[in-house]
Amino acid sequence: MSTRIRYTLSQDQMPKQWYNILADMPEPMPPPLHPGTKKPVSLEDMVRIFPENLVMQEMSSERYIEIPEPVRDVYALYRPTPLLRAVRLEKELQTPAHIYYKNESVSPAGSHKPNTAIAQAYYNKQAGVKRLATETGAGQWGSSLALACSLFGLECNVYMVKVSYHQKPYRRMMMETWGATVHASPSDQTEFGRKLQHENPHCAGSLGIAISEAIEDAVKTPNTKYALGSVLNHVCMHQTVIGQETMLQMEQAGEEPDVIIGCAGGGSNFAGLSFPFVRRKITEKKKYRIIAVEPTACPSMTKGELRYDFGDTAQTTPLIMMYTLGHDFMPPSIHAGGLRYHGMAATVSHLLKLGLIEAQAVKQTCVFEAAALFARTEGIIPAPESAHAIRVAIDEAVKAKEEGRKKVILFNLSGHGLLDLTSFEAFFDGELQDV
Ligand SMILES: *Cc1c(COP(=O)(O)O)cnc(C)c1O
């Protein structure tokens, strides 16, 4: 018999609950603060931009929260996702390591982001909201929310970072196909956008600016709420379907991971894969090494400070205790758009501070080398974001070879790169630079 490479679950093995890491934190997390009063934010502050049911989740420390049936029904369009063993990559590397990856690229939007977009659209619909406003960088989050809104009958208004709006039209077209309205940010739709346009007509935009516009839209437009695709507790929690499924699939494989790896922009796909394993580390004293990987160009965990900071440029969000490069940090234009956020989820930041996880930064050219090797051995063209995790998985496999010992490596393939091919072209043409 040849080696088994694909581990699948049936639809009724899909998790029925999300896992909330707040219930198991060995030390409580510092609360988000109101920027004016510097007191912990209240429910009333939060319901200005989010529906109450999601605010309750955000503040909850209940260990497990039931996934509503209508959400599971939509998840079933692509979940459970497969776990694969990268035997061809192992062979190419001549490593004794076993490499496994969870394939989140099989969702209709091509990434893990629908796992939370679907939940958020559902809860907003339940709360009577008619329209969602959000921001997007290269379009992964915007397209995921557009998809979810179309499935639950909500309007979707997306502020897309201007440079991506013009340079990356395909995800904008996906959003429009799913019925969303997309504005290049800074836009003329908000006061903040108009002010920035006036100051600098050539402003290329940033994620922080687009967040500010979307929040202003949500606050000022009737029946409208805001949706965020990463960073927040409830977003990270929705992603834990990834790790819970992976645990069952690793059991099928009869192995336990030694190293668990995820790329981290705001931290949600990393959280989704790793938090159920972090729980075992806390409660069962497991020895997993859990690594969050970021770009050297936007190194919030490896070079940033742990302090209270805003989530956006206009300083409208609560202050969050997180690893941050500063809310006015303008990241260089690297090709992994999803990893260009100045901060990191409070939960991920807290676990890093406590030493339960580690962080590594990798260079863009090394990331694309890993992406090409993965595509040529495993067949799937990975998202440049996901390739950060692949880079470290390969490094760990090479180390295992040098040390001459078996090691089980697990990483999350957060998305495919079929809409990022111009980045691959730039790499092959030798145009990519390291910061
Ligand atoms: C958005 C995105 C990321 C980064 O976001 P996280 O919240 O850190 O997971 C990573 N990979 C892909 C494919 C993305 O679309």
Side-chain angles (χ1 to χ4, degrees):
M1 261 294 270
S2 57
T3 314
R4 183 162 176 199
I5 60 170
R6 196 178 154 89
Y7 298 88
T8 53
L9 300 171
S10 68
Q11 194 177 314
D12 46 83
Q13 286 175 297
M14 192 162 57
K16 297 191 171 58
Q17 299 166 320
W18 291 299
Y19 167 60
N20 184 2
I21 188 104
L22 265 67
D24 291 309
M25 283 290 187
E27 259 178 45
M29 294 200 334
L33 303 181
H34 187 282
T37 64
K38 301 278 160 43
K39 297 228 172 73
V41 287
S42 62
L43 191 89
E44 294 78 64
D45 297 330
M46 302 276 281
V47 296
R48 287 178 65 223
I49 57 171
F50 297 111
E52 190 170 325
N53 49 17
L54 282 175
V55 176
M56 301 293 282
Q57 273 190 7
E58 181 65 19
M59 297 178 156
S60 169
S61 51
E62 224 169 294
R63 182 166 292 117
Y64 291 104
I65 293 181
E66 193 184 308
I67 306 175
E69 206 55 50
V71 172
R72 297 183 80 238
D73 286 347
V74 177
Y75 277 175
L77 293 174
Y78 62 96
R79 304 210 72 85
T81 62
L83 177 80
L84 288 106
R85 175 147 166 225
V87 286
R88 289 174 180 79
L89 178 62
E90 291 169 14
K91 210 169 269 167
E92 175 70 24
L93 297 171
Q94 296 182 314
T95 175
H98 291 185
I99 306 174
Y100 292 87
Y101 60 98
K102 180 70 165 162
N103 186 2
E104 289 295 308
S105 80
V106 298
S107 82
S111 78
H112 66 286
K113 289 197 172 78
N115 297 335
T116 185
I118 291 160
Q120 292 189 47
Y122 167 78
Y123 284 110
N124 275 282
K125 183 75 179 182
Q126 284 297 101
V129 174
K130 300 275 182 271
R131 180 174 170 278
L132 287 179
T134 198
E135 75 290 332
T136 196
Q140 287 104 330
W141 169 242
S143 55
S144 301
L145 194 68
L147 161 75
C149 283
S150 75
L151 295 172
F152 285 104
L154 292 165
E155 278 178 56
C156 185
N157 206 36
V158 184
Y159 294 86
M160 184 172 188
V161 176
K162 192 194 270 176
V163 57
S164 305
Y165 182 95
H166 292 297
Q167 287 178 4
K168 302 191 169 171
Y170 292 108
R171 283 205 187 84
R172 167 163 61 78
M173 293 172 199
M174 284 169 76
M175 292 184 248
E176 286 163 354
T177 303
W178 279 314
T181 307
V182 189
H183 307 281
S185 165
S187 75
D188 58 5
Q189 303 285 305
T190 66
E191 215 167 289
F192 185 62
R194 287 189 293 271
K195 177 172 156 264
L196 292 178
Q197 278 191 346
H198 181 75
E199 284 168 11
N200 174 13
H202 303 293
C203 177
S206 73
L207 210 51
I209 292 170
I211 294 176
S212 303
E213 285 207 276
I215 292 178
E216 185 186 327
D217 179 322
V219 170
K220 290 185 177 166
T221 320
N223 298 318
T224 301
K225 294 291 178 192
Y226 170 68
L228 190 63
S230 185
V231 179
L232 297 176
N233 299 347
H234 69 271
V235 178
C236 291
M237 187 184 74
H238 294 156
Q239 294 294 349
T240 58
V241 288
I242 302 174
Q244 293 182 72
E245 286 177 6
T246 303
M247 278 184 171
L248 293 179
Q249 289 162 314
M250 290 298 304
E251 267 169 41
Q252 278 185 15
E255 302 215 84
E256 270 221 74
D258 298 301
V259 193
I260 299 161
I261 305 164
C263 67
S268 75
N269 89 86
F270 168 76
L273 176 68
S274 70
F275 283 6
F277 289 95
V278 173
R279 169 166 161 74
R280 284 193 179 165
K281 214 171 155 169
I282 295 168
T283 62
E284 298 171 34
K285 303 281 175 265
K286 296 278 188 186
K287 296 271 185 267
Y288 311 127
R289 281 183 65 210
I290 302 180
I291 309 173
V293 190
E294 62 186 7
T296 51
C298 195
S300 48
M301 292 177 290
T302 54
K303 293 276 169 65
E305 283 181 298
L306 181 64
R307 62 173 167 88
Y308 273 110
D309 193 14
F310 292 99
D312 71 328
T313 310
Q315 313 184 11
T316 41
T317 70
L319 289 161
I320 301 167
M321 177 58 86
M322 61 179 174
Y323 283 95
T324 177
L325 296 161
H327 60 267
D328 48 8
F329 177 76
M330 275 284 189
S333 65
I334 55 164
H335 286 269
L339 305 185
R340 292 177 74 231
Y341 184 64
H342 67 271
M344 185 51 57
T347 45
V348 174
S349 296
H350 196 60
L351 292 171
L352 181 60
K353 189 196 94 170
L354 296 177
L356 284 161
I357 63 167
E358 30 185 306
Q360 270 185 41
V362 290
K363 288 188 202 142
Q364 167 163 260
T365 49
C366 307
V367 164
F368 275 90
E369 270 166 30
L373 182 61
F374 185 77
R376 289 165 192 182
T377 49
E378 292 298 310
I380 301 174
I381 298 177
E385 291 85 356
S386 317
H388 286 69
I390 299 175
R391 175 74 263 167
V392 172
I394 290 175
D395 292 345
E396 288 294 326
V398 170
K399 255 189 267 169
K401 178 184 177 185
E402 288 163 2
E403 294 164 2
R405 65 187 182 95
K406 193 197 148 188
K407 178 166 23 169
V408 178
I409 300 167
L410 166 67
F411 73 87
N412 193 35
L413 186 77
S414 54
H416 67 64
L418 295 178
L419 295 174
D420 305 283
L421 292 175
T422 48
S423 307
F424 282 85
E425 183 181 38
F427 170 64
F428 296 133
D429 290 348
E431 286 164 13
L432 290 199
Q433 273 157 18
D434 290 322
V435 185

